[in-house]
Amino acid sequence: MNHTDPDRTERELTEALAALAGGVRAAPDAYRTARGEWLRRERRRRLVLAVLITVVFALATLIGLWVLNEAPSHPGVIFSGLASPQVGMR
């Protein structure tokens, strides 16, 4: 039977993690490198968004022009230019 004291386990784990963390040294320019990568990603995100907005706007404009071009060129029944029956009855 293995009897371990919870305080002992916690203490040993804390010591092991402290020893492991004590051996880690950050690179001198780590912050600058991480910030540069973040700024590059942010610029790319904004560029992709601008291109996407431009493409959607251009497609909407082209579809609108196509729909307007497909409208019939001859006048319809409502706007036929004929005088209404009420005007001719005077």
Side-chain angles (χ1 to χ4, degrees):
M1 226 167 136
N2 188 1
H3 295 287
T4 57
D5 185 20
D7 292 332
R8 178 180 167 218
T9 304
E10 183 178 344
R11 183 176 36 82
E12 288 177 354
L13 184 58
T14 303
E15 289 172 1
L17 289 174
L20 184 63
V24 175
R25 298 285 180 248
D29 62 342
Y31 175 76
R32 192 174 339 142
T33 303
R35 186 170 185 269
E37 286 181 26
W38 182 82
L39 288 174
R40 225 177 351 266
R41 285 188 201 134
E42 185 66 23
R43 279 192 301 268
R44 182 175 176 155
R45 233 179 269 131
R46 288 181 186 207
L47 179 66
V48 166
L49 183 62
V51 167
L52 183 64
I53 288 171
T54 304
V55 167
V56 168
F57 182 78
L59 281 175
T61 303
L62 290 173
I63 290 171
L65 290 173
W66 177 74
V67 167
L68 287 174
N69 192 37
E70 293 295 316
S73 60
H74 62 280
V77 176
I78 296 174
F79 302 108
S80 63
L82 298 175
S84 66
Q86 295 173 352
V87 174
M89 295 172 64
R90 283 188 175 186

